Amino acid sequence: MRDFFRKSIRRQFQFIMMVVFVLALIGISIILAIQSQVKESYLKERETLSRQTEIAENIEQEYNEMIMRARGYLAFLNEGEWELSQEAHANLVVLLDELKEYELTSEEELVYEDLSAYVEEYWDLLLPAAVAYAEDGNYEELVNISQDTSGTSRINSFLLRNKQIVAANERELEAAHEDFIERTNRITYALGALIVMLFIIISLATKRMSKSIGEPLSELSDASEQLALGKEVSFPTVRRQDELGTLTNALSSMAHVIQDREADLQAHNEELQAQQDELTEQQERLENSVVEIKNLNMAINEATILSVTDTEGFITDVNDKFCEVSGYSSKEIMGQSYSSFFADDQPEFYEKMIRTLREGRIWKGELKNKAKDGTYYWVDSTIVPYKNDHQGIEQYYIIQFEITNMVEAEQELKHLLEETNRTKNTLEHYNELNHALSITLDMEELLETVLFQLQQIFSFNKGILLVLDSSDYASISISNEAAARMRSHIEEQVVVRLQETKEPYVLKREAFEGEQGYHEETLYSYDVFAPIFDAKGELQAVFVGTRVGLSFDKEETNELEGILSRVSLSLEKLFLYEETEQSRQLNQDIIDNVNEGIQFIDEKGVLIQYNSQLCSFMEAENCEDCLNEPFSYWVTFFKERVEDPEAVTAFFETAIFQSSQKSSQYRYEVAGPDRRIIEVYAESIYRRDERLGTLFVHRDITSQYEVDQMKSELVSTVSHELRTPLASVLGYTELMLNRELKPEKQKRYLSTIEKEAKRLTNLINDFLDLQRMESGRQVYEKEFIQVEEVAQEVIDSFPYSSQHEVYLNNHSSHLPVLADREKLIQVFTNLISNAIKFSPDGGKVIVTMNGNDQELFIHIADEGLGIPDHELPKLFKKFHRIDNSERRKIGGTGLGLSIVKEIVEAHGGKITVRSEAGKGSVFTITLPLAQPKSEGDGTSLTPDLPLIMVIEDDHSLAMLIREELKGTGFNVLHYASGESAVRVLDHYEPDGFVIDLMLAGELDGWDVIKEIKKRPQLEQIPIFISTALDERSKGEELGIEHYLTKPYPPNKLSTTILRTLLQNEKNGQILVAGDEEGN
Amino acid sequence: MKRILIADDEEVLRMLIVDTLEEEGYELEEAEDGMEAFEKVQKNEYDLLLLDYMMPGMTGIEVAEKIKSLNGKERMKIMMLTAKNQQKDIDASKAAGIHYYMAKPFSPLQLIELVEEILDA
């Protein structure tokens, strides 16, 4: 629908006109309708009002008529009058009824109701009464009724009110009229407004139409004019679809076509123009080229030396330049061979050139030619063979440029370059020297570098630079011996002169043989001696340099002096550095060698210093990474290694960053397989009230900590171990005290109490023993002991049992062991009793001894329960008992093995165990053997005391003798059998033998004596026989001086031995035979 | 007759307890270690278990915990009778649900009293 209008202007126009027409029609008909309605209502109202007025007037009239006629009848009793009054009454009632049909105001209604009521009252009551009075002739009453004022006044009032109503009706009528007039006027205005509105609509429509048609039309016409003038036109883009749109589009496409064609034409035109321009330009260029070629030709002739020769080299043509350069005239040149211009030298060079040319190739190169005046000039030459059609050479063209100046300049430049290089080298050496002087912190390196650079700068043949008051020096081409000689020469003579003159001096001398070399004429060498002073002006080093055949000028010595003054500064710096470095190193060594880990952190948290002990605490390898690193970096080293990283970090943070913290302490644990407890304390370091940082000192308290732990554990265990027997003792005692018991029971209780009390005693004894041993307070009475005897003694002490067989198997060398006899007995007792205890089902207990020269091995093997593998490591721990009720029943204090271990270790030995559960265990003790012939070893005999070997099978007597002899001050070796003594005879050289004649075993005392006498080294040793047998004579036969018959007082033996030994010493000889007092 | 199980690895102590309680008219049984005690408790009904703390294999605490986890034995009466009498040991016992505790060495008369009290409760 919209499209229908959009596509046509005509339709749009028709549409607008139609709208206007319809609007006008509707407006007018509405107005007319309103007007007729207004008029009608006015007429109706006017009629109503006039009728009402008319009725009101008739009512008044009829009313008056009715009253008048009634009065007339009353007065005259005239029937006519009565009829008239009745008629008036009837009319009045009709009028009143009629009036009721109209809409009345309330006042009017009131009036007419009153009236109706009164009329009824009058007609129905008053009048008949009055008529009756009148007909009766009772005029008095009649007058009374007539004179009733209310009746008259009501009549009058009604009349008055009726008149008012009539007047009001008339006023209303007038108002209605005016209203009508006004409404009519309004309608007239509305009509006017409608006309104006229509006019506005029409003009708006016109305006819009003119705009939508007129504007595009004028644009189009403008564009068309422009197009007609040939200008480029852009048509308005039109989206409309009506005739104008179509027209615009058509025009636009037409314009495009026209414009495109025009552009094509234009382009074509321009192309043509360009072609023409190019042609013109080419022509110009050609003209220029001709001129240029001419100029070039001239220039070539000016600059180039041209000549032509025939095939034999004779000149056939030259240019002016040739003459100018060579100095010859062209006449002189013509016909000459070109070779006559060659400089005489380098004939080979020319031959090569000629060869090239004859082969028909072009030759290029620089030629040195001779001019007429004998000078030489250089020409850069190109010689081109000119070939004919058959490739035969007809002539040569020689084209040359004079380059004499260039060649000379080149040579000069070369010279200059060499000079510069030399200067550059010197500068480089200076530079290197300065570099070395400023950065080298090593004396040797510094001296070497300085000397080398001096040599490079001054070209010394040899030189030495030595520091006085020290062994440091550097030398070049000087042997060590020569250098030493040089040093003493310098220190004795040169120094004196240099201290006086304070400046370098040069000595000239004939060159030494070595310096002379292959030179035949006499050469001179120049030695320069230069001092190096320190800041205080004292001579600290000397430089000596030698140059062969080349003296030193003043400038050089000044330069040398300058360099050496810088060396002096450097040396001083070096001394200072060495001193500082040494003291720093010393400090570091000190802090590295304390047992505590030390760490210093500045107030910003940077790690300034630490020692190697701290590293080893942390088990860290790359501690140096942390040096000068901030808190967050180095603290990770701790974090990664401690058990509680957060707490450790917090401790560090507080200590470092809370400056109010003066000192604090903390304990942490290093994680890892080896538990380490470290206690660290932090101390703020101040210098003049300024806080420099925090010092941390870490101390390894692991062992102390472990000891504490062990102690508390021990206390707990001991308390437990003691309580059990104590409970039995106290319990049974209480029962006995409080109960009536049968004698058997009493006995049982008492024996239990006794048993448990003993157990308690053993426990306490063992514990105290162990404590004493562990604390090192145990005193070991060490003496030389034959272990197999002790073992046998212990074995014998166990009561015979059919279940357990205990025996000794001895394969040892029978060397003695330095040991405490009682303690050794304890060892055997504990081990053998354990072996028996833990073999509840019986079996053998075998003690085996073997060994080598150094050690004795004692194995105690049983066939008992054995020990589970996991228990082995804990076996020797205090109070450790294997957790097994079968074993529990066996009882024990749990201290036996600990005691054994302590004792064995106190004797420099060790104890090991291997076991198989269910098959038995083997405990092996290793003890070091006493080494009598070695010296200064802990197990050897006390070297100063004489050694007495006692061979005695009675144990108690042996003990007695030993105690006695030891008390007198002898070393004692005791053997319980002849065999065991004989076996060790080769190992010892005692000062005396005490021998019992009656010995259990195969060998008796006499056999032993014979064995002794067989050995030359023992032959002269005094033998003391201690026996119950009186066989003195037999002894004398064998040369035995001392024969003591048992029993004898103990001190007798010792005094005899002592006296004998003293006498031997005094006489310096072997004791001679003789009777002893008290034989 | 009330039944009491005595668990202690020390023979002499078991003997002492038996001697103490026998005359009071209890039926007494013995166990040499924790495992045996546990097995006996599983099989039989006891009115009271006298339990040592330090025993091979299983400690008294472990035995008590195992018993308490058995069905129907949650309320089993257990008395700890031990030389371990530090506060931490007592606490550990309580944690294991043991509410009676007597330290070694103990008074047999007091033991009788306490046992009566427990069994009457």
Side-chain angles (χ1 to χ4, degrees):
Chain A
M1 185 66 184
R2 279 181 64 114
D3 281 352
F4 179 75
F5 287 109
R6 216 165 35 204
K7 282 181 180 167
S8 164
I9 297 171
R10 189 170 55 87
R11 281 184 215 135
Q12 283 175 25
F13 196 69
Q14 281 169 351
F15 173 70
I16 291 166
M17 292 316 289
M18 210 161 71
V19 168
V20 170
F21 181 69
V22 168
L23 281 179
L25 211 61
I26 293 169
I28 288 166
S29 27
I30 290 170
I31 288 168
L32 287 178
I34 291 170
Q35 198 176 17
S36 74
Q37 199 192 350
V38 166
K39 199 174 171 183
E40 206 174 320
S41 83
Y42 167 69
L43 287 176
K44 202 174 168 188
E45 196 176 358
R46 198 176 61 169
E47 198 182 347
T48 314
L49 283 174
S50 327
R51 179 71 191 144
Q52 265 179 334
T53 314
E54 195 184 337
I55 293 171
E57 280 167 355
N58 287 345
I59 286 173
E60 191 184 349
Q61 201 179 346
E62 292 299 329
Y63 186 71
N64 280 340
E65 183 79 13
M66 181 187 80
I67 301 283
M68 284 300 140
R69 293 298 168 195
R71 279 185 187 170
Y73 174 73
L74 290 177
F76 305 108
L77 290 175
N78 186 335
E79 281 296 321
E81 288 287 331
W82 180 242
E83 279 171 18
L84 283 173
S85 177
Q86 272 183 327
E87 196 181 334
H89 174 243
N91 284 345
L92 187 60
V93 171
V94 171
L95 281 173
L96 280 171
D97 283 343
E98 191 184 346
L99 199 60
K100 277 177 194 157
E101 287 167 17
Y102 295 98
E103 282 177 18
L104 298 173
T105 61
S106 55
E107 195 190 353
E108 284 169 347
E109 248 171 65
L110 203 67
V111 171
Y112 290 117
E113 271 169 24
D114 279 357
L115 184 62
S116 310
Y118 184 71
V119 167
E120 252 168 79
E121 191 192 337
Y122 180 80
W123 194 257
D124 295 338
L125 296 174
L126 283 177
L127 203 56
V131 167
Y133 285 136
E135 281 175 358
D136 291 346
N138 192 354
Y139 283 93
E140 276 178 37
E141 277 300 319
L142 195 63
V143 172
N144 275 350
I145 294 172
S146 347
Q147 278 176 348
D148 185 356
T149 47
S150 72
T152 316
S153 70
R154 273 172 79 176
I155 294 167
N156 288 342
S157 125
F158 161 70
L159 289 178
L160 184 66
R161 278 157 74 183
N162 199 34
K163 273 194 180 97
Q164 281 172 351
I165 288 170
V166 171
N169 276 351
E170 274 169 6
R171 273 198 307 277
E172 220 171 299
L173 197 61
E174 209 165 321
H177 183 71
E178 275 169 20
D179 184 42
F180 171 69
I181 301 286
E182 196 179 331
R183 282 192 190 186
T184 317
N185 282 347
R186 272 189 216 152
I187 289 165
T188 314
Y189 295 146
L191 198 61
L194 181 68
I195 290 163
V196 169
M197 193 184 77
L198 284 175
F199 182 75
I200 289 169
I201 290 172
I202 289 167
S203 63
L204 280 175
T206 315
K207 192 178 173 196
R208 190 174 176 278
M209 287 302 280
S210 78
K211 192 180 173 199
S212 74
I213 299 167
E215 272 179 23
L217 264 180
S218 83
E219 270 175 27
L220 263 184
S221 77
D222 282 352
S224 306
E225 269 173 34
Q226 296 288 330
L227 186 66
L229 288 175
K231 291 182 183 166
E232 190 162 338
V233 176
S234 74
F235 280 88
T237 353
V238 183
R239 282 210 194 91
R240 49 198 297 174
Q241 294 164 354
D242 57 14
E243 295 89 337
L244 261 176
T246 323
L247 182 61
T248 312
N249 288 338
L251 263 175
S252 166
S253 56
M254 194 175 82
H256 277 306
V257 172
I258 292 171
Q259 277 169 0
D260 285 350
R261 291 212 181 127
E262 202 167 334
D264 279 351
L265 270 173
Q266 187 91 23
H268 195 63
N269 214 9
E270 276 170 14
E271 205 175 314
L272 279 175
Q273 188 67 39
Q275 277 172 6
Q276 193 177 345
D277 287 351
E278 205 175 323
L279 277 174
T280 318
E281 201 183 328
Q282 272 176 5
Q283 194 176 346
E284 275 172 16
R285 270 216 302 275
L286 270 173
E287 280 166 11
N288 283 342
S289 297
V290 173
V291 175
E292 260 173 44
I293 287 167
K294 275 183 192 160
N295 289 342
L296 203 66
N297 208 12
M298 263 166 66
I300 288 170
N301 258 326
E302 271 305 300
T304 321
I305 304 163
L306 293 172
S307 51
V308 184
T309 67
D310 60 14
T311 48
E312 295 305 315
F314 291 105
I315 296 170
T316 55
D317 197 6
V318 295
N319 71 348
D320 294 346
K321 187 74 180 174
F322 195 107
C323 302
E324 188 189 316
V325 172
S326 63
Y328 295 101
S329 68
S330 62
K331 276 185 187 165
E332 284 169 314
I333 297 165
M334 290 298 181
Q336 294 287 328
S337 166
Y338 193 93
S339 59
S340 62
F341 290 95
F342 291 158
D344 298 333
D345 47 1
Q346 297 177 304
E348 287 170 18
F349 174 78
Y350 296 119
E351 271 171 32
K352 200 175 169 188
M353 178 186 88
I354 290 163
R355 213 164 38 242
T356 308
L357 290 173
R358 288 202 196 260
E359 284 167 15
R361 287 185 285 152
I362 294 170
W363 183 90
K364 280 182 183 174
E366 288 172 8
L367 287 174
K368 190 180 178 187
N369 282 2
K370 205 156 53 178
K372 189 176 181 180
D373 57 5
T375 57
Y376 294 101
Y377 63 93
W378 283 87
V379 279
D380 180 46
S381 314
T382 308
I383 304 174
V384 186
Y386 181 81
K387 295 172 189 170
N388 59 17
D389 297 343
H390 311 294
Q391 296 296 310
I393 297 167
E394 281 186 352
Q395 51 190 1
Y396 295 101
Y397 292 109
I398 303 170
I399 305 142
Q400 295 170 319
F401 297 97
E402 194 189 355
I403 53 165
T404 314
N405 287 343
M406 223 163 79
V407 171
E408 278 170 3
E410 198 177 304
Q411 276 165 356
E412 206 172 316
L413 209 65
K414 218 166 166 184
H415 184 69
L416 209 64
L417 200 67
E418 277 165 19
E419 193 82 355
T420 314
N421 262 336
R422 265 200 301 283
T423 318
K424 195 183 109 204
N425 277 339
T426 315
L427 278 176
E428 265 171 16
H429 289 307
Y430 264 108
N431 195 19
E432 276 167 34
L433 181 69
N434 283 338
H435 184 67
L437 288 178
S438 40
I439 66 146
T440 311
L441 287 173
D442 179 80
M443 178 64 89
E444 200 179 325
E445 193 188 330
L446 179 76
L447 295 178
E448 293 285 353
T449 316
V450 168
L451 191 65
F452 174 75
Q453 299 299 348
L454 285 176
Q455 189 210 17
Q456 294 296 314
I457 295 167
F458 295 101
S459 314
F460 289 112
N461 293 80
K462 53 187 182 183
I464 184 166
L465 175 61
L466 53 83
V467 181
L468 302 173
D469 304 329
S470 117
S471 60
D472 294 320
Y473 77 94
S475 63
I476 287 174
S477 309
I478 294 176
S479 67
N480 287 347
E481 295 78 23
R485 276 202 305 280
M486 197 70 192
R487 177 180 278 277
S488 60
H489 170 67
I490 287 169
E491 282 170 355
E492 284 160 20
Q493 299 173 24
V494 177
V495 165
V496 182
R497 179 164 171 186
L498 285 175
Q499 271 167 346
E500 281 169 11
T501 61
K502 298 208 183 300
E503 61 179 19
Y505 64 89
V506 180
L507 289 181
K508 182 184 176 186
R509 57 176 168 80
E510 271 189 28
F512 301 137
E513 209 173 311
E515 296 167 348
Q516 183 80 26
Y518 54 81
H519 296 280
E520 286 182 2
E521 73 276 29
T522 312
L523 265 181
Y524 290 96
S525 285
Y526 300 86
D527 297 329
V528 63
F529 296 85
I532 300 171
F533 295 101
D534 65 12
K536 291 176 215 148
E538 282 178 22
L539 193 60
Q540 61 175 348
V542 173
F543 168 73
V544 181
T546 302
R547 263 190 349 207
V548 180
L550 187 60
S551 82
F552 296 93
D553 56 23
K554 187 64 191 164
E555 201 179 316
E556 275 181 314
T557 51
N558 283 346
E559 201 177 326
L560 182 63
E561 211 177 349
I563 293 172
L564 291 181
S565 72
R566 267 179 293 165
V567 172
S568 135
L569 286 177
S570 200
L571 278 178
E572 261 187 68
K573 185 185 74 184
L574 202 69
F575 286 136
L576 204 65
Y577 169 76
E578 278 179 358
E579 209 172 299
T580 321
E581 180 59 20
Q582 263 172 16
S583 105
R584 195 194 65 77
Q585 194 60 49
L586 181 65
N587 280 336
Q588 188 65 43
D589 287 348
I590 291 170
I591 73 162
D592 274 350
N593 282 296
V594 295
N595 277 330
E596 281 78 18
I598 293 173
Q599 189 188 14
F600 182 72
I601 314 295
D602 73 8
E603 82 283 11
K604 293 192 185 74
V606 176
L607 179 79
I608 302 297
Q609 200 169 14
Y610 68 93
N611 70 349
S612 54
Q613 190 66 36
L614 184 61
C615 273
S616 71
F617 282 173
M618 288 295 121
E619 284 157 15
E621 278 164 10
N622 40 355
C623 284
E624 59 276 5
D625 289 357
C626 289
L627 206 58
N628 299 321
E629 290 293 341
F631 178 73
S632 56
Y633 184 86
W634 62 258
V635 85
T636 52
F637 255 67
F638 284 91
K639 277 178 164 176
E640 284 164 6
R641 292 174 170 82
V642 300
E643 286 289 351
D644 188 355
E646 279 76 31
V648 173
T649 312
F651 165 74
F652 275 123
E653 269 176 354
T654 314
I656 295 167
F657 298 115
Q658 292 187 6
S659 50
S660 56
Q661 196 88 10
K662 293 250 159 137
S663 69
S664 55
Q665 199 162 1
Y666 182 70
R667 183 180 285 192
Y668 63 90
E669 205 171 306
V670 179
D674 302 330
R675 202 164 94 122
R676 236 181 233 266
I677 313 288
I678 308 282
E679 195 168 78
V680 52
Y681 70 83
E683 194 73 53
S684 290
I685 303 288
Y686 290 88
R687 186 187 291 157
R688 285 192 295 273
D689 292 343
E690 188 197 347
R691 190 166 179 267
L692 295 180
T694 315
L695 177 73
F696 290 94
V697 180
H698 303 251
R699 199 153 54 86
D700 188 345
I701 55 158
T702 313
S703 52
Q704 187 192 328
Y705 181 80
E706 278 172 357
V707 166
D708 287 350
Q709 288 275 353
M710 248 163 59
K711 266 187 192 161
S712 77
E713 212 170 280
L714 188 70
V715 167
S716 157
T717 316
V718 168
S719 131
H720 177 261
E721 292 295 319
L722 292 177
R723 273 168 205 276
T724 304
L726 209 55
S728 319
V729 171
L730 290 176
Y732 276 111
T733 313
E734 196 176 308
L735 282 181
M736 286 185 76
L737 286 174
N738 289 288
R739 273 185 183 160
E740 292 294 323
L741 295 167
K742 289 178 190 159
E744 309 88 73
K745 230 174 194 174
Q746 277 187 11
K747 198 176 174 202
R748 184 164 66 79
Y749 284 14
L750 277 174
S751 69
T752 309
I753 291 172
E754 193 203 9
K755 207 174 81 192
E756 290 300 296
K758 274 184 182 162
R759 177 173 157 193
L760 202 54
T761 315
N762 283 338
L763 191 65
I764 292 168
N765 283 342
D766 276 0
F767 184 64
L768 291 180
D769 269 0
L770 194 60
Q771 278 300 101
R772 198 165 49 236
M773 289 169 187
E774 282 182 341
S775 63
R777 281 182 289 114
Q778 175 68 47
V779 180
Y780 291 95
E781 303 265 340
K782 288 188 186 171
E783 56 183 314
F784 291 97
I785 288 171
Q786 290 304 125
V787 180
E788 76 269 21
E789 281 159 25
V790 176
Q792 191 61 57
E793 193 184 317
V794 174
I795 289 169
D796 293 345
S797 73
F798 280 95
Y800 172 77
S801 146
S802 59
Q803 259 196 319
H804 300 100
E805 191 187 348
V806 187
Y807 59 88
L808 176 69
N809 236 338
N810 186 14
H811 308 291
S812 71
S813 66
H814 300 269
L815 282 174
V817 164
L818 191 64
D820 183 316
R821 190 181 172 80
E822 291 306 318
K823 294 299 167 200
L824 213 53
I825 288 174
Q826 204 173 356
V827 166
F828 278 109
T829 310
N830 281 351
L831 289 177
I832 294 171
S833 70
N834 271 356
I836 293 172
K837 271 198 297 190
F838 292 103
S839 306
D841 304 326
K844 290 176 187 166
V845 176
I846 305 166
V847 180
T848 312
M849 295 171 61
N850 51 33
N852 52 32
D853 287 348
Q854 309 289 320
E855 288 170 319
L856 175 66
F857 304 110
I858 306 159
H859 311 280
I860 293 142
D862 64 53
E863 301 173 338
L865 299 171
I867 303 155
D869 282 349
H870 65 274
E871 295 285 351
L872 287 174
K874 295 180 270 180
L875 202 59
F876 295 98
K877 273 175 77 176
K878 275 193 287 284
F879 293 113
H880 182 77
R881 276 186 289 178
I882 294 170
D883 226 358
N884 179 318
S885 58
E886 197 177 353
R887 291 162 194 276
R888 263 285 147 119
K889 271 184 268 178
I890 292 162
T893 61
L895 294 173
L897 284 178
S898 303
I899 291 173
V900 167
K901 186 164 185 265
E902 282 293 330
I903 294 173
V904 169
E905 283 173 359
H907 285 82
K910 59 180 194 260
I911 180 162
T912 57
V913 61
R914 62 202 155 78
S915 181
E916 199 175 328
K919 293 201 172 169
S921 315
V922 181
F923 285 81
T924 301
I925 296 169
T926 310
L927 288 174
L929 288 173
Q931 299 294 317
K933 284 175 185 172
S934 66
E935 280 176 27
D937 151 352
T939 58
S940 67
L941 305 173
T942 317
D944 295 339
L945 299 180
L947 174 67
I948 306 295
M949 191 179 277
V950 178
I951 302 150
E952 169 64 74
D953 64 342
D954 181 337
H955 181 64
S956 55
L957 188 59
M959 288 301 107
L960 210 64
I961 293 173
R962 181 172 38 224
E963 288 310 311
E964 169 62 20
L965 292 182
K966 277 169 76 180
T968 317
F970 294 114
N971 281 320
V972 178
L973 269 180
H974 167 239
Y975 296 91
S977 69
E979 291 87 345
S980 59
V982 170
R983 251 177 269 163
V984 300
L985 279 180
D986 292 331
H987 297 288
Y988 289 102
E989 206 167 311
D991 297 286
F993 292 97
V994 174
I995 300 174
D996 181 12
L997 291 179
M998 294 251 295
L999 293 171
E1002 288 186 9
L1003 299 177
D1004 65 8
W1006 297 119
D1007 298 327
V1008 176
I1009 292 170
K1010 280 173 198 153
E1011 285 292 328
I1012 292 170
K1013 292 296 178 187
K1014 272 188 203 163
R1015 290 170 170 76
Q1017 81 273 18
L1018 300 176
E1019 203 182 2
Q1020 298 301 324
I1021 306 290
I1023 298 172
F1024 304 89
I1025 292 176
S1026 155
T1027 180
L1029 299 174
D1030 193 357
E1031 292 183 86
R1032 182 184 294 263
S1033 53
K1034 192 171 178 186
E1036 281 168 0
E1037 279 170 33
L1038 286 166
I1040 307 298
E1041 296 87 354
H1042 313 286
Y1043 197 101
L1044 283 87
T1045 314
K1046 292 174 190 171
Y1048 51 84
N1051 65 341
K1052 174 143 188 195
L1053 180 65
S1054 58
T1055 46
T1056 309
I1057 295 173
L1058 196 59
R1059 196 180 299 141
T1060 311
L1061 294 187
L1062 286 172
Q1063 210 172 342
N1064 283 4
E1065 209 167 290
K1066 205 187 285 170
N1067 298 343
Q1069 57 182 34
I1070 303 301
L1071 193 68
V1072 286
D1075 275 344
E1076 276 300 319
E1077 151 187 41
N1079 279 2
Chain B
M1 198 187 261
K2 303 267 185 182
R3 289 179 83 184
I4 300 175
L5 179 63
I6 302 158
D8 199 316
D9 59 323
E10 288 280 351
E11 192 185 359
V12 64
L13 282 177
R14 288 201 306 273
M15 212 164 76
L16 173 61
I17 297 169
V18 169
D19 283 332
T20 306
L21 295 178
E22 210 169 30
E23 291 186 16
E24 304 300 319
Y26 297 113
E27 192 184 328
L28 301 170
E29 279 187 48
E30 297 178 35
E32 286 183 12
D33 59 32
M35 188 45 87
E36 193 186 338
F38 178 67
E39 281 164 3
K40 286 198 162 166
V41 169
Q42 262 185 319
K43 276 184 213 145
N44 310 316
E45 286 295 327
Y46 296 99
D47 297 295
L48 176 63
L49 170 60
L50 295 182
L51 192 57
D52 183 25
Y53 192 122
M54 293 262 280
M55 284 190 292
M58 258 201 280
T59 67
I61 297 280
E62 285 164 351
V63 174
E65 279 169 351
K66 275 189 89 167
I67 289 174
K68 294 279 172 181
S69 71
L70 283 178
N71 244 350
K73 302 283 181 186
E74 299 88 348
R75 304 184 61 82
M76 166 113 201
K77 287 176 178 169
I78 303 176
M79 188 206 287
M80 203 64 153
L81 196 58
T82 175
K84 284 223 159 214
N85 61 347
Q86 292 178 10
Q87 189 57 44
K88 57 171 185 177
D89 305 318
I90 296 171
D91 292 344
S93 299
K94 280 186 180 160
I98 302 168
H99 297 294
Y100 308 103
Y101 201 92
M102 197 165 222
K104 290 178 190 171
F106 58 91
S107 152
L109 299 184
Q110 276 178 19
L111 179 67
I112 292 168
E113 270 176 39
L114 188 56
V115 167
E116 266 175 17
E117 200 183 305
I118 294 168
L119 290 177
D120 288 348

